[in-house]
Amino acid sequence: MHPAFSVIFLTTLIGVGQGLFLALVTGQTYAAVKIVPMQDPVTFFAWGSLVSLLFLAAGLLASFFHLGHPERAWRAASQWRTSWLSREVIVLPLMMAAAFAYGLLHYFGIDPVIWTSPEGTSLSLTLAVGLAGSVVAFALFVCTGMIYAAIRFLQEWATPLTVINYILLGGASGFTLAAAFAAWTAPELVRFFGGWAVIITVLAAGSRTASLVRNARLKPKSNLQTAIGVRHTRIVQKAQGAMGGSFNTREFFHGAPQAVFQAVKWTFLVLVFPVPLALLWAGMDGADRGLLAAAFAVQYVGLLAERWFFFAQANHPQNLYYQAA
Amino acid sequence: MTQLALVIDLNVCVGCHACVTSCKEWNTSGPAGYMSDDNPYGKDPTGTFFNRVQTFEVGAFPMTETVHFPKSCLHCEDAPCVPVCPTGASHKRAEDGIVLVDYDKCIGCKYCSWACPYGARELDEHQKVMKKCTLCVDRIYDESLPESERKPACVLACPTNARLFGDIHDPESEVSVAIREEGGYQLMPEWGTRPANHYLPRRKTRMHIHEDELQRADNPLKKEERLPRGPVTEPTLDDSTSW
Ligand code: SF4
Ligand code: SF4
């Protein structure tokens, strides 16, 4: 498939936004059960939510560049019964609303206790909103992943690993950002978020490698014989029905030389996993702001490469009709 | 239930592209608006087409055969492109099974084109909406046309009659009979999309002449000459079997 930059930015940016939101709520949950100290609602939670919201909004903005008719985008909410894309269109604004509400409640300190357990653990309004928002964040990851995993013709994508990768890669970048953000706003939580970032990054390395291994062994279900229905081992295409290119030759091929394709793969394998892990490891001691910010930046750039590769690797059966492209 | 479809006979298609040009002519002039055409006579011509004819060479020289392969939306009965559309612009009509795009609803997200294994959908580069074969839905029901012309433009244009049009759910229709009797098949059946359009394979008319047709098996001399006759008084084979 042709990797569209709008979609690469959309999926990576909202992944960071969702991951950061999950990190904030994780922090608050741990604080509620008194494992980590509670942070300042404004400098940590409200501004953290704002950063998350900005990433989500930037992703939304990027998505509009993908559409031929962005002015009609509202129509895309109508087919949620059947279309994962439609579901994403509904859940993304919900996610933004959740991040907005979570930040706003923290900012104004509207945080009444709404339930207390017999052991004395209390559930405050912001935490309840945060937990509800976390469900939305996971739902959004599932929608984004299923948009790709649901197309059975793209065998590289049609696997639960696609959804798992979206969750783990988005989560990893969000928690890495949370670690960097904490270096400025809540230094005592750097180890907490950094530790989670390391764990999720390692898990993501595992699942992404698993999908690479799976895809390397994939047997295409269709071939030229079934595509045109002629049973012969030697079929050569002589004409594609268009002298110049067509939508079919532009949309479904990445067009990069094999060397670039391979280079992007190794780039993301290095930039998403080992380098940020090393930077996180080094930066967690003494909450080094520069190192932690670099960990996030490197990982994000790596994720751009990862997403490019994700699209480029998918081989659409329609390409069988365009042997010369 | 009706399922309109094309049946394309690869045995007679000569690859003349008449269906391509008449499709484009009809549909670019229709009420749904033009179909883009950039640099039609320039260096890199590109544009929107509902139908394209491709050419394949089957076999190794000198045992080759050229197969011309017209390709358009197959109006799948289990159309995978329809449920994925977030706007409902892509739909399959209940009354005749035609898969259509509502150009006024389409947001040009291209998701449906990813969900079509056949590459039958093309985004119009200028109108930014998804386009595909409509089976000339604006023509086949037009009562101002004589009945014989209420067919898709490609079907009318084909000089070799390689394109048949009709209802594949009616077992006695021309298309159903052709599929049944001429070995009609579907493209990429492995995906379970159940394409409504079918293709008829290349068929060879071969005459089989057996050895014993050249040489009379009952010739005792194993030699082509008049059989020796017995005396006329003896009963012949005809005499004993013709009663
Ligand atoms: S051929 Fe493609 S566009 Fe046409 S109905 Fe089937 S899946 Fe949809
Ligand atoms: S491009 Fe148009 S028809 Fe296709 S899925 Fe998007 S909105 Fe639907």
Side-chain angles (χ1 to χ4, degrees), chain A residues 153, chain B residues 72-82 90 92 97-100 112-113 115-121 131-133 193-196:
Chain A
F153 314 111
Chain B
S72 57
C73 169
L74 308 167
H75 299 279
C76 302
E77 297 199 49
D78 262 338
C81 54
V82 169
S90 274
K92 185 168 177 75
I98 299 181
V99 175
L100 284 181
C112 54
S113 71
C116 166
Y118 308 101
R121 296 175 162 245
K131 300 211 168 171
K132 60 177 274 305
C133 161
T193 54
R194 297 202 295 138

Side-chain angles (χ1 to χ4, degrees), chain A residues 66 68-69 72 76 79 82-83 147 152-153 222 226 228 234 236 238-242 244-245 248 250-251 316 318 321, chain B residues 45-46 52-55 57 59 83-84 86 88 103 106-107 109 111 114-117 119 127-128 185 188 190-191:
Chain A
H66 184 67
H69 283 279
R72 300 176 187 164
Q79 301 302 306
T82 59
S83 169
I147 287 177
R152 61 187 193 275
F153 314 111
S222 293
T226 66
I228 67 169
R234 194 174 177 284
V236 182
K238 293 289 171 184
Q240 308 196 118
N248 305 70
R250 288 188 292 266
E251 178 71 7
H316 200 286
Q318 82 98 36
Y321 296 106
Chain B
T46 185
R52 296 180 186 270
V53 177
Q54 304 190 319
T55 301
E57 191 177 81
V84 301
Y103 301 148
C106 175
I107 56 172
C109 68
Y111 194 35
W114 298 4
C116 166
Q127 293 173 11
K128 298 287 180 196
Y185 66 88
M188 295 190 193
E190 60 273 20
W191 294 115

